[in-house]
Amino acid sequence: MPLALLALAIGAFGIGTTEFVMVGLLPQVAGDFGVSVPTAGFLVTGYALGVVAGAPLMSVLGTRMPRKRMLLLLMVLFTAGNLISATAPVFAVMLAGRVVASLAHGAFFGIGAVVAAELVAPQRRAGAIALMFTGLTIANVVGVPLGTWIGQTAGWRVTFLAVAALGVVGLLGVARLIPDLPRPEGVRLRHELAVFRNVQVLLAMAMTVLGFGGVFAAITYLAPMATGVTGFSDGAVTWLLVLFGIGMVGGNLVGGRLADRHLMPMLYTALAALAAVLAVFTVTAHSKPGAAVTVALIGALGFATVPPLQKRVLDQAAGAPTLASAVNIGAFNLGNALAAWLGGLVISTGHAYTSANWVGVVLTGSALVLAVVSGTLERRGPGGRVVAGRAVAADAAVLSPAPSGR
């Protein structure tokens, strides 16, 4: 594998760290700015909404310039956003910094996957893309817990300075290691937009919003739940996040393998199990061993849904999957934003922190219902797609598949 993939993995590591580290630092940030924990939760919501808006906008911009230049621009945005957060004098400025950093998220993974595939021989493209995404999974095992520990011992501002430094390393890596790649030829925005008439694409994205949103309903408020309900110390939150990250890595690997064999059955099983575990968390949150096991299971089952959901979108958007793929990454973050807001809303009305788990159950259960609807529609029209509400024969010649093998 070329060293250029290391630059992409470093960027993915930094982006993954800055996205999830906020979960472990909510109490500290809320205390420093004099706001409530639910209000501080808007730092999670704002980031997620920024990804939702930034993924399609930046991906469209990325079709109009060389990919290396676009990746450099994205890493500059990411670094600047984290510097703004680290030096923010008031809560509103920190929120703005989170939004700036989030604009790089979806497009980096979307364009980065294309670049990774073009850097290697055709038979090694899947491995190259997986190597880039390894940075994201490792971030949840190493970067997030380490960032949480740094924030709790040296201050949360130091954490964001460290993440900004990772952005500089990623920027230098892209500049030095990634070759100049030509601007894509023959790309038409109308082709990318046309796939959104496919009802199955829209159903898959709705499942993404609701399914992974269930995870964030619980995990956004993990720190106050663990310390205020379970009885863990602040330092123990770091190890809970390690368990969550390990679960994510395992779930991602298993979900990816099984999705290639039995996509929809895998999705049904993962969503049903996730809803059940989130419900159980309202009970196990009162036990330290039970909470630790449940947090790991939430990570595993939550990320087990990611490969089948992403593959579902790519399968249904065959021929012009780039924008749809980026938008689906935004859909994950839209779910994060929705869940964090709903969880905070329930908590702010006077309910216990564990009530956020029930929000997760409702969201994930709704995703399961949509999955059943999607599967039923597909069985009614074998060999076809549902476009604008009606089944039509799939025609691979309508749009030429991208040569990158995505």
Side-chain angles (χ1 to χ4, degrees):
M1 292 291 181
L3 281 176
L5 294 178
L6 178 61
L8 295 174
I10 292 172
F13 179 85
I15 290 173
T17 299
T18 203
E19 178 182 19
F20 291 106
V21 77
M22 200 67 251
V23 171
L25 298 177
L26 276 183
Q28 287 75 24
V29 173
D32 278 3
F33 285 122
V35 300
S36 67
V37 169
T39 298
F42 281 110
L43 295 172
V44 178
T45 305
Y47 185 95
L49 291 177
V51 176
V52 173
L57 292 176
M58 291 295 178
S59 294
V60 170
L61 177 61
T63 65
R64 300 177 179 274
M65 67 172 60
R67 287 168 179 153
K68 178 175 179 178
R69 186 184 305 170
M70 188 63 198
L71 288 172
L72 289 170
L73 173 61
L74 293 171
M75 291 311 301
V76 168
L77 278 176
F78 170 79
T79 303
N82 281 285
L83 285 175
I84 292 171
S85 293
T87 58
V90 295
F91 181 79
V93 174
M94 184 178 186
L95 181 58
R98 293 282 289 168
V99 172
V100 170
S102 71
L103 295 176
H105 186 120
F108 182 88
F109 285 110
I111 297 172
V114 177
V115 171
E118 292 184 350
L119 290 173
V120 298
Q123 67 271 20
R124 304 183 71 186
R125 284 173 176 166
I129 293 171
L131 183 57
M132 182 194 73
F133 276 96
T134 297
L136 175 63
T137 58
I138 292 177
N140 289 279
V141 178
V142 179
V144 174
L146 180 60
T148 301
W149 177 78
I150 291 174
Q152 292 174 345
T153 56
W156 59 266
R157 294 182 186 275
V158 179
T159 296
F160 283 96
L161 285 173
V163 175
L166 280 175
V168 173
V169 174
L171 176 66
L172 294 175
V174 170
R176 293 182 61 85
L177 298 177
I178 293 182
D180 290 316
L181 299 171
R183 196 176 92 179
E185 299 293 337
V187 175
R188 298 292 182 268
L189 182 58
R190 67 176 184 274
H191 296 156
E192 298 284 350
L193 293 174
V195 302
F196 294 97
R197 295 176 55 231
N198 185 335
V199 172
Q200 288 286 21
V201 170
L202 300 180
L203 281 172
M205 291 181 176
M207 286 184 269
T208 296
V209 171
L210 298 171
F212 204 71
V215 174
F216 250 66
I219 295 302
T220 297
Y221 302 100
L222 177 61
M225 193 187 308
T227 56
V229 177
T230 314
F232 281 113
S233 65
D234 288 342
V237 174
T238 299
W239 299 108
L240 287 176
L241 291 173
V242 169
L243 291 175
F244 178 69
I246 291 173
M248 289 172 64
V249 173
N252 184 55
L253 293 174
V254 173
R257 175 169 295 187
L258 295 180
D260 281 330
R261 300 174 183 175
H262 309 288
L263 192 150
M264 293 308 291
M266 168 61 196
L267 194 55
Y268 299 148
T269 302
L271 289 172
L274 177 59
V277 169
L278 286 168
V280 168
F281 196 25
T282 61
V283 176
T284 58
H286 297 274
S287 163
K288 290 182 179 179
V293 172
T294 308
V295 166
L297 287 174
I298 291 173
L301 292 169
F303 246 72
T305 68
V306 173
L309 285 170
Q310 193 71 14
K311 188 174 186 295
R312 182 73 173 169
V313 169
L314 293 177
D315 288 346
Q316 297 299 324
T322 305
L323 181 58
S325 179
V327 170
N328 198 51
I329 291 175
F332 280 107
N333 288 272
L334 178 59
N336 297 351
L338 176 66
W341 175 71
L342 289 175
L345 184 64
V346 171
I347 293 169
S348 64
T349 60
H351 291 83
Y353 284 116
T354 53
S355 63
N357 299 328
W358 289 114
V359 174
V361 173
V362 172
L363 292 174
T364 303
S366 300
L368 178 59
V369 171
L370 292 182
V372 172
V373 170
S374 178
T376 301
L377 289 174
E378 189 170 51
R379 286 191 297 273
R380 288 178 179 175
R385 292 192 187 130
V386 178
V387 181
R390 57 189 180 89
V392 299
D395 184 359
V398 172
L399 294 171
S400 300
S404 65
R406 289 163 291 164

